[in-house]
């Protein structure tokens, strides 16, 4: 019973961490003949994000923090 409770506690803690925002810091660039497109990457799962400034990762559901990106733009 103790091991089961510990496992449930660990799973619950991991699920709660998705609700805490993680800062987006990495990007990936794709080049074609005319331009370069830059896309942000989820800090938890590494998924290339479809849109900038979306609230959650569409791959893993991680809540995202864009403050560092906004500071770099400004």
């Amino acid at each position: 019973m103790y091991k089961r409770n510990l496992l449930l506690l660990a799973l619950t803690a991991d699920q709660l961490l998705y609700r805490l925002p993680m800062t987006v810091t990495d990007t990936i660039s794709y080049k074609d003949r005319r331009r370069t497109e830059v896309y942000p990457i989820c800090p938890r799962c590494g998924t290339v994000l479809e849109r900038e400034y979306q609230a959650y990762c569409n791959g893993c559901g991680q809540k995202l923090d864009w403050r560092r990106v906004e500071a770099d733009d400004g």
Side-chain angles (χ1 to χ4, degrees):
M1 189 63 136
Y2 176 74
K3 287 182 181 180
R4 183 173 182 263
N5 289 342
L6 234 120
L7 179 62
L8 287 174
L9 183 61
L11 288 174
T12 303
D14 189 51
Q15 291 169 348
L16 289 175
L17 289 177
Y18 279 90
R19 295 182 183 199
L20 298 175
M22 288 183 76
T23 304
V24 176
T25 58
D26 294 328
T27 59
I28 189 166
S29 300
Y30 295 102
K31 290 184 180 183
D32 66 15
R33 294 181 194 172
R34 289 179 269 163
R35 64 178 184 243
T36 301
E37 296 283 338
V38 179
Y39 296 96
I41 297 174
C42 175
R44 179 176 284 270
C45 70
T47 298
V48 176
L49 301 172
E50 296 174 358
R51 298 173 309 277
E52 285 188 58
Y53 303 110
Q54 63 190 63
Y56 297 89
C57 173
N58 50 318
C60 69
Q62 174 64 50
K63 187 171 183 177
L64 302 169
D65 177 6
W66 295 94
R67 285 180 284 173
R68 185 168 173 186
V69 174
E70 292 169 358
D72 291 344
D73 288 345

